[in-house]
Amino acid sequence: MNKDLKGHINARLDKVHPGSADIFTDKFFEDLTLVANALDNVKARRYVDSRCVKARTPLLESGTLGPKGHIQVIVPGKTESYGSQEDPQDDNEIPHCTLKMFPEETL
């Protein structure tokens, strides 16, 4: 996408959570210009949001729930954070539309 990024991307497989705070330190978040999320649960979203707000690093939060999608741009000190909103209860069920193999074929 951007040839200027070649050699400047460090892909990590470490889970971002309180137990990896020694890897993803405050300085790590402070040194970023933007964080882009595509997480699968509310707890993880709130954690990354809190780290970005603390570091004052902008966050592009995105996600899906079945056929629905959302995106939220969070700029600490200027916009509402992800954690300042209440999400629907996470019932750990997979949405029915996610279980469909094809739009016209229901499992």
Side-chain angles (χ1 to χ4, degrees), residues 33-100:
T33 55
L34 175 74
V35 172
N37 262 358
L39 299 170
D40 64 354
N41 67 79
V42 172
K43 185 177 179 181
R45 288 181 174 136
R46 288 184 189 268
Y47 178 74
V48 173
D49 174 68
S50 70
R51 297 297 304 271
C52 288
V53 168
K54 182 178 178 185
R56 305 199 50 81
T57 300
L59 170 63
L60 181 63
E61 167 51 41
S62 65
T64 62
L65 180 59
K68 301 174 187 173
H70 82 271
I71 189 162
Q72 180 181 1
V73 177
I74 299 151
V75 181
K78 293 189 178 190
T79 64
E80 184 175 58
S81 72
Y82 181 84
S84 63
Q85 300 178 16
E86 279 297 319
D87 283 333
Q89 291 297 319
D90 192 1
D91 58 11
N92 294 325
E93 290 186 25
I94 299 171
H96 179 70
C97 54
T98 302
L99 296 174
K100 295 169 78 172

